[in-house]
Amino acid sequence: MRTLTVVVLIGWTSSLLAAGPFERPARTPVVTAAGRQGMVVSNCDIASQVGVEVLAEGGNAVDAAIAVGFALTVTWPEAGNIGGGGFMMVAPSDRDVVCIEYRETAPDAVEADSLSKWTNRRHERMVGVPGTVRGFWLAHQRYGTLPWKRLVEPAIKLASEGIEADEFLAWTLNGILRQEDIQTDPRYAEFRRVFGPPDKQYWTAGDRLVQPDLGKTFTLIAERGADAFYEGPIAEQIVAQMKRGDGWITLEDLKSYRANHRPAIHAQIKGYDFYGAPLPSSGGTTVLMELRMLETLGVQKSPDYFWSMEHIHLMTEIMKRAFRERAAYLGDADFVDINPVVWSRDHAAQLAQSIDPEQATPSIELAGDIPVTRELYESPQTTHFSVIDENGMGVSNTYTLEASYGSCVVVKGAGFLLNNEMGDFNPIPGRTDTEGRIGTQPNLMAPGKRMLSSQSPVIIKQDGKVKLLVGSPGGRTIINTVFEILVQTLFFERSLEDAVNGPRFHHQWFPDILHLESDLSLLPEDVQEGLKQRGQNLSVRESARQGSAHCIEVDLKSGVATGVADWRRGGAAIAVKK
Ligand code: DON
């Protein structure tokens, strides 16, 4: 707790003294905390503290996760949300891991090619029917122990009384507020009113963000439950916004929205029990394919091998193959038949056998029967948080508005942002291109269908107990961030702190580029050179940070949980102290 305070203060001081409104906060150490009585790790210290107080009061991990998820809507509005959706993996202490799936759905008005020529990603048309409130309600009904109202109350207070913007919040808000469309287009007038500082153009860390409309929205949710959002006054505000902005969502779309209680993707990896998010997230399935390929090929357990050129080459070839399968086969399983090869150990082994340890396979050669056109897109934000309670119940939750601040459309008078998740459907039927656009059939748009996600909240168990809670934001990079953390912890027995701290890389089949994270975690020159010689197309994007993984690891012998908050976009690990 003391470490956390020091880190946050250092960040603020330096930003107040030196950073301009658009300068990204400097790298800080990974924030860790340890304890036996419960732990919350999220993007913001205020939200983590909300969760810790719920745990200290006797709430379980699901209670705390709901309170954290609502609080992040106030404190981390670029991704924390009630206008988006996500995946909550729950490990009850005495039962199998499940997923509360609350992914957005397509409104009834769409057809497969409805958005094929659509370019404005910040528009009511890009909004999927939000799932978060229904999802949290379902989680509460199945697993909650404290009253619903108690879990919403912190968000009411934070929104109505206001919060101090930390340096990451000030930075991300300024990054949006400086953009020309946001500054000038009437569509974003409500965004400017709600998220602009009252008396100046840009935010400075330490300024107060007050969200009275959002406070009223949360009061309705506290008093009337999820129905206030899907059938009551909030639903009406959403539909009125759709009418003003030429969007598609109707009262009927909202009323018919359901969250689902689904079995997790479960398999044994290196003697551990892996539980990943099921479809409509590709996360669990794709991470599992990657882990199985690596298990087939094996790793040399020497410190020299770890993240060596040889190892990264293998990892990259694995990523390419897994992302090709993702594109070929994955979509909403309630709408399309999924080829079961994606869950087969033998299939993963066959894919692994096709890897040449000396030479990169060009992505185009992996296309098989997917026609590929030579010709970008996808933008980061999402947020992940992890919670464990003193009885060993764990929650690994990732949720999102899709892009940073989603569609940038704020529901007038209601104070919350709507997602732009419709962009996760394959936009143009039949068109898969070398820039990464996918056009395969399983993820085409249809009324009521859920768009394919990359969110990858994972739970690892050992001997029936929660060992790891892992996840991250980052669009398609999420899958590889989670893969890399699991490889480090499960295959190399590195500590979670080292695993979160280390450099990351990403290949997603198309574009045929191996993206290396830059900033202070750059891979050594000789490793980069060797990768190029093996035929990998390297790209080091200036200032690129991959993901923001807020994770928990439990030492099963001592029962001590270590919370690790990533340094990349802010974060706080706080242990319960009774
Ligand atoms: O569900 C998905 O896969 C995406 N909408 C996630 C977007 C995302 O992670 C952006 N953030 N960093």
Side-chain angles (χ1 to χ4, degrees), residues 86-92 96-105 135 138-139 142-143 257-266 275-281 331-336 338 343 448-451 459:
F87 299 84
M88 182 186 287
M89 303 292 295
V90 181
D96 244 9
V97 175
V98 296
C99 178
I100 302 287
E101 175 266 301
Y102 53 101
R103 181 67 162 166
E104 300 92 325
T105 53
L138 177 60
R142 293 285 180 115
Y143 302 104
Y257 181 85
R258 299 279 173 273
N260 295 302
H261 190 259
R262 300 188 190 269
I265 302 289
H266 175 212
Y275 296 91
L279 292 168
S281 182
D332 182 347
D334 293 343
F335 280 72
V336 288
I338 307 294
W343 297 298
K449 191 174 172 184
R450 291 158 197 251
M451 56 296 281
I459 296 182

Side-chain angles (χ1 to χ4, degrees), residues 83-262:
F87 299 84
M88 182 186 287
M89 303 292 295
V90 181
S93 42
D94 56 348
R95 270 169 290 160
D96 244 9
V97 175
V98 296
C99 178
I100 302 287
E101 175 266 301
Y102 53 101
R103 181 67 162 166
E104 300 92 325
T105 53
D108 198 44
V110 306
E111 293 176 12
D113 60 355
S114 292
L115 290 172
S116 62
K117 298 200 172 73
W118 195 261
T119 51
N120 185 357
R121 297 176 72 81
R122 291 176 171 162
H123 189 283
E124 280 78 353
R125 288 259 163 117
M126 296 300 294
V127 183
V129 181
T132 301
V133 179
R134 203 41 104 201
F136 287 5
W137 181 256
L138 177 60
H140 185 256
Q141 282 187 318
R142 293 285 180 115
Y143 302 104
T145 57
L146 294 188
W148 171 256
K149 225 174 165 175
R150 162 68 185 87
L151 309 179
V152 189
E153 267 162 4
I156 301 176
K157 193 166 153 53
L158 293 168
S160 320
E161 294 178 8
I163 54 158
E164 270 188 18
D166 66 18
E167 56 174 354
F168 280 96
L169 177 57
W171 171 65
T172 66
L173 279 169
N174 291 341
I176 294 284
L177 290 167
R178 75 193 292 196
Q179 295 174 20
E180 198 188 330
D181 57 341
I182 300 296
Q183 288 183 353
T184 56
D185 192 327
R187 188 175 298 281
Y188 314 116
E190 189 70 352
F191 185 96
R192 295 193 292 272
R193 187 180 73 80
V194 170
F195 291 113
D199 48 1
K200 55 182 181 177
Q201 202 175 359
Y202 295 114
W203 294 93
T204 308
D207 289 347
R208 218 166 171 76
L209 170 63
V210 190
Q211 302 173 69
D213 291 346
L214 184 57
K216 284 185 214 141
T217 295
F218 272 124
T219 303
L220 286 168
I221 293 172
E223 284 167 358
R224 295 163 65 171
D227 284 351
F229 192 95
Y230 291 93
E231 299 183 37
I234 307 169
E236 278 160 23
Q237 285 172 303
I238 296 173
V239 171
Q241 184 65 41
M242 290 291 139
K243 292 202 171 121
R244 272 191 299 276
D246 199 19
W248 283 319
I249 295 175
T250 62
L251 279 176
E252 191 46 45
D253 287 324
L254 286 160
K255 193 171 171 193
S256 58
Y257 181 85
R258 299 279 173 273
N260 295 302
H261 190 259
R262 300 188 190 269

Side-chain angles (χ1 to χ4, degrees), residues 301-335:
K301 264 203 167 165
S302 81
D304 290 348
Y305 182 72
F306 170 75
W307 271 205
S308 63
M309 178 253 292
E310 291 80 3
H311 184 206
I312 292 179
H313 172 76
L314 270 194
M315 297 274 295
T316 308
E317 292 302 300
I318 286 171
M319 291 172 184
K320 283 182 202 173
R321 284 158 177 80
F323 272 80
R324 188 269 170 201
E325 303 305 274
R326 174 189 186 274
Y329 300 122
L330 301 186
D332 182 347
D334 293 343
F335 280 72

